[in-house]
Each structure stands twice: as structure tokens, then as C-alpha cells.
Amino acid sequence: MKITVSATGNTMDSQIDQRFGRAAAFVFVETDTMDFEAIDNAAAASSGGAGIAAAQLVADKDVKAVITGNVGPNAMNVLNAANIGIYKVGALTVKENVELFKKGELERISKTVPAHFGMGNK
């Protein structure tokens, strides 16, 4: 199964980025082989629409699940429309979170943070 993890860097040893739309990077992982591809999140620095752009990037990669900390309402709408599961993480590495996902130990996210939360608005 192909999944993605919001990350602060582009390796399996990178730390999780708790923000989805403004994550520094996305690490796409094939859970059967643990092969991965990392892509910088071009939407991270945008003035608006980061969540939607990030969600569309992920959906275009045909993933089945996203592992992240927080998801805003617009990103959640796009991910839900694409039937992509969203799972909450702790402060671990990409690899550690993928292992927890494979064991079924990550909590599914069903509610969002407020709009513009990743920009420091709370």
C-alpha cells in the first residue's frame, strides 16, 4: 500500500512535521517494500491554499493513507473526497510512524484544526 507522511525532511529518518498543508516535505512510502520517494512541499510557503494544494499533490500520487499531525478543513475535504485515510502521529521519525501504521496502532483523524492553523492562527 502506498502512503505518505508529512515530514521535516526527505528521508525515512526525518522527523514528522505536525502540519499537513505547510509540511516541509512529503515522504511517500510503499509499505510492502519500504521503498520511498520524498517530495518538497511547494505549497508550504504559499500565502493561501496550502492545504488544498498539498492534498491534491498527495491525491495525485494515488496514496491510500496520510500520516500527519494536523489537517485543516479544506485539506480534509480533498483527502476525504479522494478516499484517503488520515492518521495522527506523535513526535517520531517517518520510519517509526510507518511501522506503527503497518501494525494498526495509529489513530484515525476525523476532525480538523481551524482554518489557517498551520500559519500560527489558533
Side-chain angles (χ1 to χ4, degrees):
M1 173 190 300
K2 190 173 187 181
I3 66 173
T4 193
V5 183
S6 59
T8 59
N10 59 8
T11 72
M12 293 289 280
D13 293 323
S14 297
Q15 291 296 307
I16 291 299
D17 195 324
Q18 292 292 329
R19 305 161 304 167
F20 174 74
R22 298 201 180 273
F26 293 107
V27 180
F28 296 88
V29 182
E30 179 55 57
T31 58
D32 294 334
T33 62
M34 296 300 280
D35 289 340
F36 75 94
E37 170 191 16
I39 297 176
D40 289 336
N41 180 13
S46 67
S47 61
I52 293 170
Q56 192 59 58
L57 169 72
V58 167
D60 289 347
K61 287 289 196 175
D62 199 29
V63 302
K64 302 301 180 202
V66 168
I67 300 173
T68 191
N70 298 300
V71 178
N74 294 331
M76 181 168 275
N77 288 339
V78 173
L79 295 172
N80 285 338
N83 294 316
I84 297 171
I86 309 165
Y87 296 85
K88 186 143 182 81
V89 298
L92 302 169
T93 66
V94 170
K95 183 178 181 179
E96 290 167 327
N97 277 286
V98 171
E99 293 296 338
L100 290 173
F101 174 82
K102 288 169 59 174
K103 294 177 187 175
E105 296 180 5
L106 295 180
E107 173 187 353
R108 193 154 183 157
I109 296 175
S110 59
K111 66 180 206 175
T112 70
V113 295
H116 306 288
F117 184 85
M119 295 180 71
N121 300 334
K122 296 180 183 171

